[in-house]
Amino acid sequence: MDQLQAYIDGWRRHDIGAVLATLNDDCIITESYGPVYHGRERVEQWMTTWLAAGSVDAWKVTSGAALNHVLLAEWVFSCTWRGEAATFEGATIARLRDGKISYLREYATTASLYDWTGAWRE
């Protein structure tokens, strides 16, 4: 879980070098809304561009697990993007190779969570 926590902490601190240090050179990162970044150089470009327009305000891991070379985390993410604040829950699946993240994919909730009561909300 250490590498995934270090990746998240780097984003929280806006520390591009710390994030890159967790990644293999040929990593693949997939964001929850679709963009895919191939390799550390592309991740560096993405982070530089993203952090110029936004900030990670909080990213709290609420649960996590590690099994062999697979890391899992559930989290709550808060950011400000182009002046708009947003918070959502999500999860990350990451795979390690040679002690670094080689694959990372994020999933996000798309609506508020609620207890089902026997009827579907429209």
Side-chain angles (χ1 to χ4, degrees):
M1 197 49 206
D2 292 344
Q3 286 293 47
L4 183 52
Q5 187 64 58
Y7 174 88
I8 290 169
D9 289 346
W11 270 101
R12 283 186 23 245
R13 292 190 321 271
H14 303 169
D15 186 340
I16 295 171
V19 171
L20 296 177
T22 68
L23 304 173
N24 284 114
D25 287 341
D26 61 347
C27 64
I28 299 172
I29 309 292
T30 304
E31 284 193 90
S32 60
Y33 62 96
V36 180
Y37 309 98
H38 295 270
R40 285 178 49 169
E41 287 182 28
R42 183 62 78 189
V43 172
E44 183 175 14
Q45 292 172 340
W46 160 46
M47 289 188 72
T48 300
T49 302
W50 197 94
L51 291 170
S55 68
V56 175
D57 303 325
W59 195 349
K60 182 181 179 192
V61 174
T62 57
S63 69
L67 179 62
N68 297 322
H69 300 290
V70 177
L71 309 175
L72 309 166
E74 292 180 294
W75 39 258
V76 178
F77 179 82
S78 297
C79 68
T80 302
W81 175 252
R82 296 184 176 165
E84 296 286 326
T87 298
F88 58 92
E89 294 181 57
T92 299
I93 299 170
R95 287 194 301 259
L96 299 177
R97 188 179 73 244
D98 301 326
K100 294 194 175 194
I101 296 169
S102 62
Y103 170 89
L104 184 146
R105 184 160 183 169
E106 296 175 343
Y107 297 88
T109 56
T110 58
S112 298
L113 301 179
Y114 64 95
D115 288 329
W116 187 67
T117 60
W120 298 109
R121 286 201 289 180
E122 297 296 323

